[in-house]
Amino acid sequence: MTNQDQRKPVMAVVGAGPGIGEAVARRFASEGFAVALLARTEDKLRDMANGINADYGERTAQYFVTDLRVEDTVIASFGKIRKELGPVQVLVYNAGARRVNGRSILDTTSEEFENFTKINLFGAFWSTKQVLPDMLAASKGTIIFTGATGSIRGNPGLSSFSPGKFGLRSLAQIITREYQAQGIHAAHILVDAPVDGKLIGGWSRRKWAKEGEDQKLADIDAFLMQPADLAHSYWFLHTQPRSAWTHEIDVRPQKESMFSKL
Ligand SMILES: NC(=O)c1ccc[n+]([C@@H]2O[C@H](COP(=O)([O-])OP(=O)(O)OC[C@H]3O[C@@H](n4cnc5c(N)ncnc54)[C@H](OP(=O)(O)O)[C@@H]3O)[C@@H](O)[C@H]2O)c1
């Protein structure tokens, strides 16, 4: 056996934050994957990688500081991943950018529209281009994109968010149509609810506390999606047998209504 053969399979979480990103990385690490964590903030990435390595073994996680709005940094990071960890077998594109309190089109700057669309869509296109050649050479690979309600609903206030998310969904379909026959399983996960992370989860919890919605706070996983629970869906998609591949799933907690919110 060569060193190459002894390497763990590699997955990359592009947009690795403390919510869905870390939960998915941890789920794959627990299944024996080496995980590459990509985001902009080095301190957060270092802490995340250290935590995963403490739980799943040294060098299970490595981080790569990347700004997904800049194609050159995406190319550079995937070049390093390939060299240091090996070819990527599973790509999870999880980065997303939106305002919690949306703005109308007239109040949205072109700069915000461009910046957010680069994060929501362009980064996925660039990342996919970086991993596809190795996946095609191996005749297998999984590409999963994280979507949102805004991927299928153009609601008010989301002009700098939804267009990119709609595009991301379409890109997942195009990957499927172009490369599924060659062994690439592409899937889109429509996350149709607030996630219990720092930003949206924290905002929801504060709002409910202020409004005296104690029953929601006491029954939190019926209202807010738990990242670790959601991570099962990513693993489920990756491990589906090829005679029954799913291209898209939607997920929400028990007491969330379907496709309705802003
Ligand atoms: N949170 C929710 O309630 C919710 C609901 C529905 C759908 N979603 C979807 O879920 C995904 C995010 O999951 P999450 O909210 O749990 O977040 P998360 O995984 O905790 O973090 C995502 C990370 O993406 C990184 N990122 C953002 N812009 C980037 C850029 N330009 N370059 C590199 N990295 C970048 C950020 O790190 P840096 O700032 O360090 O770069 C951020 O920490 C998004 O696709 C979002 O649309 C979220």
Side-chain angles (χ1 to χ4, degrees), residues 202-240:
W203 179 84
S204 306
R205 282 169 182 267
R206 284 192 298 278
K207 181 169 173 284
W208 294 336
K210 209 166 135 194
E211 293 168 356
E213 298 256 32
D214 295 338
Q215 89 286 1
K216 286 191 177 172
L217 293 166
D219 199 15
I220 206 79
D221 64 349
F223 293 93
L224 292 180
M225 192 168 283
Q226 301 303 304
D229 294 341
L230 185 52
H232 290 309
S233 296
Y234 290 75
W235 181 251
F236 160 73
L237 287 168
H238 170 62
T239 52
Q240 279 186 318

Side-chain angles (χ1 to χ4, degrees), residues 15-21 38-41 44 66-69 94-96 119 146-148 161 165 191 193-195 200:
I20 301 172
L38 288 75
R40 288 167 299 190
T41 316
K44 284 197 293 183
T66 312
D67 187 342
L68 296 162
R69 296 169 299 181
N94 183 62
I119 297 167
T146 305
F161 176 68
K165 282 295 196 187
V191 180
V195 174
I200 309 279

Side-chain angles (χ1 to χ4, degrees), residues 110-208:
S110 301
E111 191 188 13
E112 175 176 309
F113 185 90
E114 183 177 341
N115 261 322
F116 283 11
T117 305
K118 281 193 171 153
I119 297 167
N120 292 323
L121 178 59
F122 280 59
F125 177 66
W126 293 328
S127 301
T128 300
K129 283 178 70 133
Q130 292 308 302
V131 299
L132 264 179
D134 282 333
M135 289 182 176
L136 290 170
S139 299
K140 69 171 183 186
T142 304
I143 296 177
I144 302 175
F145 292 164
T146 305
T149 316
S151 306
I152 56 159
R153 288 279 179 272
N155 277 316
L158 296 185
S159 65
S160 58
F161 176 68
S162 262
K165 282 295 196 187
F166 267 63
L168 185 73
R169 184 179 187 227
S170 130
L171 189 62
Q173 292 180 8
I174 292 164
I175 296 167
T176 298
R177 295 296 299 273
E178 289 187 351
Y179 298 109
Q180 175 176 284
Q182 294 166 73
I184 311 303
H185 180 192
H188 180 248
I189 303 191
L190 216 152
V191 180
D192 184 31
V195 174
D196 199 7
K198 247 189 193 163
L199 186 65
I200 309 279
W203 179 84
S204 306
R205 282 169 182 267
R206 284 192 298 278
K207 181 169 173 284
W208 294 336

Side-chain angles (χ1 to χ4, degrees), residues 46-95:
R46 189 186 304 114
D47 289 349
M48 195 185 304
N50 286 343
I52 292 172
N53 290 336
D55 291 343
Y56 299 105
E58 268 315 297
R59 296 183 68 78
T60 296
Q62 286 188 53
Y63 68 84
F64 302 85
V65 176
T66 312
D67 187 342
L68 296 162
R69 296 169 299 181
V70 184
E71 185 177 13
D72 284 351
T73 76
V74 176
I75 294 172
S77 288
F78 278 98
K80 283 186 208 151
I81 293 169
R82 193 171 192 276
K83 202 167 157 213
E84 292 171 27
L85 298 175
V88 172
Q89 196 185 101
V90 180
L91 170 70
V92 171
Y93 192 86
N94 183 62

